[in-house]
Amino acid sequence: MGYRTLLRDHRGLLSIAFLALFSSSLGQSYFVGLFQVPISERLGLSAGQFGTAYSLVTLIAGFAILRLGPSIDWISPRRFALTVLAALLLGVLLLTLSPWWGIGLLGLGLVRLCGQGMMSHLGNTLAGREFTTMRGRALGLAGMGIMLGETLLPPVIAALLVWLGWRELWWLFCLLLAGLWMPLLWRGNWPQAPGKRPDRTRRHDGPRPFRERRFWQLLPLLMILPVTMTGLFIYQARMTEDLNSSLAIYALALTGMGIAKLPGALLGGRWVDRLGPARMARLYLLPYVVALLIAILHGGNAGVWALMVGGGLAMGAQESIATSLLVRVWGADHLGTLRATLTACMVFSTGIAPAILGVALDLGASFTQVLVGMLILLAGGWAIAQPVLATPEARGS
């Protein structure tokens, strides 16, 4: 069954997952970063203070995801979506209207938690749990919601800022999201909750990822891409300088990354269904490996383009591979718990990684040496995951 048939037969559910991932744009780093200066001025924070506060609320959001994310395994998805959307809109109001920096940071924390965290969690969990034979394709189509936001919103925001203030832009985007969500919340084809709330007095009978060796073995492989790409985004100026390129080339390459995510998602989803997530988990980082080698050995504009395009191809495919692999190894009944744990780990690591990378650069490491370290970490994560990928559960045999 192809993508056209999938869209025809499951348009309602795919629309929900797609919109959830598009809505996550409101809390993504690239979106918040577009307004860093006016938000800092509004809260009375310097650039450094804002960066520290941003990392702090991101880490707190990660802990909250660990606590709240598993509830999608027993709460009605419609109710879950309505609650997250309401909290997201409340966060925007607190961030844009509060005269006190503490309340403003609370709003920023809600935006990060409910945007990047819980909306992404909702969309990926629904697509991964409700589809079986077409899971990879469904996840690929849903993931295009994030790609649409990354590609469309920055130029649209830049154009609208000529006429509107930053707060009015946030309110306008919230009205847009509310208008898109209302028909789906009212008449959407929502699935039922897959299970009942666990009895706290009984022994835990579901997966406990942090206590499972297999989860820890898979974690480095699944985290290496978001962690290293975050470093490239944060230290773009140092990267382009050390590779003898320019920020103008980086900006163009960033657009290339957004475009590369599309074939990465569509082809990755199709191949996951055909080859299985375990085999794809061994292969999907190859474009990024080639990109790192080009940047290390050649540098220049070609190195920057390779990193962005190679990273985009791999990032486009990762979500369908990661979610399908979790389902294959542990089953779909507890996917909310597994995805919440994985999402929280990614939030923690992407919050801490820039600080570690910054220390390395301050100690005198060149960005080429940083890229070599990334390649070594990638190889190590790949090797650690192989015993799990070779198990009958992961291979589906």
Side-chain angles (χ1 to χ4, degrees):
M1 182 179 291
Y3 282 107
R4 183 178 300 177
T5 307
L6 183 64
L7 284 168
R8 183 192 65 203
D9 295 343
H10 303 279
R11 181 171 53 196
L13 184 57
L14 286 172
S15 296
I16 295 170
F18 178 91
L19 183 56
L21 289 167
F22 177 73
S23 302
S24 74
S25 300
L26 200 60
Q28 299 284 356
S29 295
Y30 78 87
F31 189 90
V32 177
L34 293 171
F35 304 95
Q36 181 265 315
V37 173
I39 291 176
S40 297
E41 292 176 352
R42 172 75 182 177
L43 301 180
L45 302 175
S46 66
Q49 290 171 331
F50 178 83
T52 301
Y54 186 79
S55 296
L56 180 61
V57 299
T58 297
L59 292 175
I60 294 173
F63 283 108
I65 292 170
L66 278 176
R67 177 69 175 175
L68 302 174
S71 63
I72 199 173
D73 285 336
W74 60 82
I75 290 179
S76 162
R78 188 199 302 264
R79 178 184 170 192
F80 187 93
L82 182 59
T83 303
V84 172
L85 182 63
L88 177 61
L89 298 181
L90 174 62
V92 171
L93 291 178
L94 293 178
L95 177 62
T96 56
L97 295 177
S98 173
W100 301 290
W101 66 268
I103 302 298
L105 289 181
L106 174 61
L108 179 61
L110 282 174
V111 167
R112 290 286 287 158
L113 168 63
C114 298
Q116 184 193 36
M118 301 301 276
M119 278 295 181
S120 296
H121 181 54
L122 169 65
N124 285 314
T125 301
L126 283 182
R129 187 170 64 200
E130 301 301 324
F131 292 87
T132 54
T133 57
M134 300 170 290
R135 181 177 292 118
R137 289 177 174 88
L139 285 161
L141 286 173
M144 292 174 63
I146 292 180
M147 300 172 209
L148 178 65
E150 291 175 339
T151 305
L152 180 64
L153 291 180
V156 169
I157 288 171
L160 291 178
L161 280 173
V162 176
W163 296 285
L164 299 175
W166 73 275
R167 294 191 299 171
E168 289 78 11
L169 265 178
W170 280 74
W171 299 337
L172 180 63
F173 191 42
C174 287
L175 287 175
L176 171 64
L177 291 182
L180 293 173
W181 272 107
M182 288 308 295
L184 289 177
L185 289 170
W186 184 256
R187 294 181 299 177
N189 183 25
W190 291 85
Q192 298 297 316
K196 296 181 179 179
R197 186 183 183 94
D199 188 347
R200 295 181 180 275
T201 63
R202 292 187 175 183
R203 183 179 179 273
H204 190 281
D205 58 353
R208 308 185 79 168
F210 285 141
R211 298 189 180 185
E212 291 213 28
R213 180 178 179 181
R214 291 177 300 174
F215 183 81
W216 287 107
Q217 287 177 288
L218 289 175
L219 197 57
L221 175 68
L222 299 178
M223 288 173 58
I224 188 66
L225 189 61
V227 168
T228 56
M229 289 300 292
T230 298
L232 300 184
F233 297 151
I234 296 297
Y235 295 102
Q236 55 188 262
R238 179 65 180 272
M239 175 184 70
T240 53
E241 179 183 353
D242 284 7
L243 295 182
N244 295 317
S245 184
S246 67
L247 287 175
I249 294 297
Y250 170 81
L252 292 173
L254 201 59
T255 303
M257 181 193 74
I259 296 173
K261 285 183 177 182
L262 177 60
L266 296 180
L267 292 175
R270 182 182 295 273
W271 290 339
V272 164
D273 291 337
R274 289 186 176 181
L275 304 177
R279 185 176 298 179
M280 283 301 299
R282 293 190 177 100
L283 301 174
Y284 83 102
L285 287 174
L286 280 177
Y288 193 46
V289 171
V290 173
L292 286 169
L293 290 173
I294 292 174
I296 292 168
L297 300 176
H298 188 275
N301 297 338
V304 173
W305 270 99
L307 288 171
M308 294 297 105
V309 174
L313 287 170
M315 283 193 295
Q318 170 152 324
E319 195 52 61
S320 60
I321 294 169
T323 302
S324 298
L325 191 59
L326 294 177
V327 173
R328 183 66 63 84
V329 176
W330 285 280
D333 291 342
H334 302 282
L335 182 58
T337 299
L338 294 162
R339 274 219 50 86
T341 307
L342 179 61
T343 301
C345 289
M346 288 185 178
V347 169
F348 294 148
S349 60
T350 54
I352 296 173
I356 297 176
L357 184 55
V359 170
L361 293 172
D362 288 343
L363 291 176
S366 68
F367 214 88
T368 300
Q369 292 173 320
V370 168
L371 294 176
V372 171
M374 291 179 177
L375 186 59
I376 293 172
L377 288 175
L378 189 155
W382 185 89
I384 292 171
Q386 295 313 299
V388 180
L389 298 178
T391 60
E393 295 87 354
R395 292 186 287 109
S397 58

